[in-house]
């Protein structure tokens, strides 16, 4: 059932949080990742540090933006994939716990990302920073890049766009052809569509800071994209890759056979899981400059 009131949304958020199978602290411990909670520019964040010996990327920083339909996965739960990336790459990661609806609709989330990123630029050069996330996190990464570019801030050295929710208007082909096929999302109608409207507030869904596919991609950083042949957001991912290439951006598009939405991040003993994060580490190694 689609929530109709703010209180119903809050109850749903709480319900989603209770379904997380492994507590975040336990997951971080298993990954051998240290966790520190902090505030940066007034925004809650998680600093994630690999306990193992650092590699050549040790001076880099991954700025992680969590998914969850722009409505879910706040707090510790939002840092789960960030811990995976930290463990796989050996790179320090900061996961941004941005504000979300119903209390804080757009542009609160992109405002928070910009504030944190601008503060981080005082500590790290842009050439040593990667930004990214999965699903809504990938979409918000693109929106933030549009915002940072417009503000005249140097963009990160690379972007990670895991099956990005880049268009909130239900325009992609696979939103129709893969309806009921995607094991994770199922359909756009229902919670997803309602979350898009809740997040947008009074802003038109075609605004590039909501649906970044409608923005202009010239001078964007090299980007690593992931999707699957059963992913409801496969069209969003493919369309972003096409627009980036048309704008002269270097793109690595990875589409996995039989993979539903973001399953690579959820099934940690799968070959897709290993390939995605090994590939991401190699992509970061190619494009980061930590000298």
């Amino acid at each position: 059932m689609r929530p109709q009131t703010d209180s119903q949304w809050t109850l749903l958020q709480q319900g989603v949080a209770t379904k997380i199978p492994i507590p975040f602290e336990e997951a971080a411990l298993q990954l051998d990742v240290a966790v520190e909670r902090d505030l940066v520019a007034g925004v809650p964040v998680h600093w994630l540090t690999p306990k193992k010996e650092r590699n050549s990327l040790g001076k880099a920083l991954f700025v992680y933006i969590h998914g969850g339909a722009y409505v879910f996965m706040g707090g510790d739960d939002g840092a789960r994939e960030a811990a995976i990336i930290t463990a796989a790459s050996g790179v320090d990661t900061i996961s941004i716990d941005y504000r979300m609806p119903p209390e804080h609709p757009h542009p609160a989330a992109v405002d928070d990302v910009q504030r944190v990123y601008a503060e981080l630029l005082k500590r790290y050069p842009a050439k040593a920073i990667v930004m990214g996330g999965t699903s809504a996190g990938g979409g918000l990464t693109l929106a933030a890049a549009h915002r940072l570019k417009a503000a005249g801030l140097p963009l990160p050295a690379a972007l990670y766009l895991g099956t990005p929710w880049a268009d909130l208007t239900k325009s992609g082909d696979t939103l129709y052809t893969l309806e009921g096929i995607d094991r994770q999302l199922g359909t756009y109608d229902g919670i997803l569509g309602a979350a898009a409207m809740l997040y947008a507030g009074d802003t038109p869904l075609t605004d590039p800071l909501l649906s970044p596919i409608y923005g202009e991609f010239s001078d964007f950083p090299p980007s690593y994209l992931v999707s699957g042949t059963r992913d409801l957001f496969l069209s969003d991912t493919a369309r972003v890759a096409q627009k980036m290439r048309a704008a002269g951006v270097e793109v690595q598009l990875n589409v996995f056979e039989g993979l539903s939405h973001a399953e690579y991040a959820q099934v940690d003993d799968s070959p897709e899981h290993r390939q995605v994060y090994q590939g991401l580490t190699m992509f970061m190694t190619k494009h980061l400059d930590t000298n």
Side-chain angles (χ1 to χ4, degrees), residues 40-41 43 63 65 96 98-99 107-122 131 140-141 143-154 209:
V40 173
V43 179
V63 179
I65 304 174
I96 302 175
Y98 55 85
R99 290 170 294 165
V110 72
D111 286 348
D112 286 355
V113 173
Q114 180 179 2
R115 287 163 57 198
V116 172
Y117 182 77
E119 181 64 29
L120 292 172
L121 287 176
K122 300 175 184 178
M131 180 181 287
L140 186 50
T141 295
H146 285 315
R147 168 72 76 80
L148 299 175
K149 179 181 169 183
L153 293 172
L209 295 186

Side-chain angles (χ1 to χ4, degrees), residues 21-33 35 80:
I22 301 176
F24 170 69
E25 293 285 0
E26 182 179 337
L29 185 64
Q30 292 177 0
L31 290 165
D32 206 21
V33 169
V35 180
R80 287 174 178 274

Side-chain angles (χ1 to χ4, degrees), residues 1-271:
M1 187 179 83
R2 293 167 61 124
Q4 301 297 320
T5 65
D6 287 358
S7 60
Q8 288 176 350
W9 275 108
T10 300
L11 286 173
L12 182 59
Q13 288 170 325
Q14 294 169 350
V16 169
T18 63
K19 294 180 181 179
I20 304 299
I22 301 176
F24 170 69
E25 293 285 0
E26 182 179 337
L29 185 64
Q30 292 177 0
L31 290 165
D32 206 21
V33 169
V35 180
E36 179 184 352
R37 295 165 184 82
D38 194 9
L39 289 174
V40 173
V43 179
V45 300
H46 292 71
W47 290 98
L48 303 162
T49 306
K51 295 180 182 178
K52 64 184 179 182
E53 183 178 351
R54 295 180 179 277
N55 57 24
S56 61
L57 297 178
K59 295 180 181 179
L61 180 69
F62 196 109
V63 179
Y64 181 78
I65 304 174
H66 72 80
Y70 299 103
V71 177
F72 306 108
M73 302 299 290
D76 285 354
D77 293 333
R80 287 174 178 274
E81 190 188 17
I84 294 171
I85 292 170
T86 304
S89 67
V91 173
D92 287 355
T93 302
I94 182 171
S95 180
I96 302 175
D97 189 13
Y98 55 85
R99 290 170 294 165
M100 296 189 297
E103 294 89 352
H104 303 289
H106 177 80
V110 72
D111 286 348
D112 286 355
V113 173
Q114 180 179 2
R115 287 163 57 198
V116 172
Y117 182 77
E119 181 64 29
L120 292 172
L121 287 176
K122 300 175 184 178
R123 316 180 197 181
Y124 298 84
K127 66 181 183 179
I129 297 176
V130 178
M131 180 181 287
T134 284
S135 193
L140 186 50
T141 295
L142 288 168
H146 285 315
R147 168 72 76 80
L148 299 175
K149 179 181 169 183
L153 293 172
L155 296 181
L159 300 180
Y160 162 52
L161 307 171
T163 177
W165 193 6
D167 187 352
L168 274 59
T169 70
K170 197 183 178 184
S171 298
D173 179 63
T174 54
L175 293 175
Y176 300 88
T177 61
L178 294 180
E179 184 173 23
I181 303 297
D182 187 321
R183 291 178 290 268
Q184 300 301 317
L185 297 180
T187 179
Y188 188 90
D189 298 324
I191 297 299
L192 267 183
M197 298 304 297
L198 182 71
Y199 175 62
D202 297 327
T203 305
L205 293 181
T206 53
D207 188 304
L209 295 186
L210 280 177
S211 296
I213 190 68
Y214 299 107
E216 203 275 317
F217 287 88
S218 63
D219 301 320
F220 261 52
S223 297
Y224 179 91
L225 292 91
V226 183
S227 187
T229 59
R230 289 176 176 259
D231 183 359
L232 211 62
F233 288 175
L234 174 57
S235 285
D236 277 32
T237 309
R239 292 164 64 208
V240 168
Q242 289 168 344
K243 285 204 70 172
M244 283 185 159
R245 285 174 176 151
V249 178
E250 179 183 341
V251 171
Q252 182 175 325
L253 175 60
N254 305 273
V255 180
F256 290 89
E257 172 68 15
L259 202 70
S260 292
H261 183 69
E263 284 183 326
Y264 60 85
Q266 301 165 22
V267 187
D268 58 10
D269 59 350
S270 66

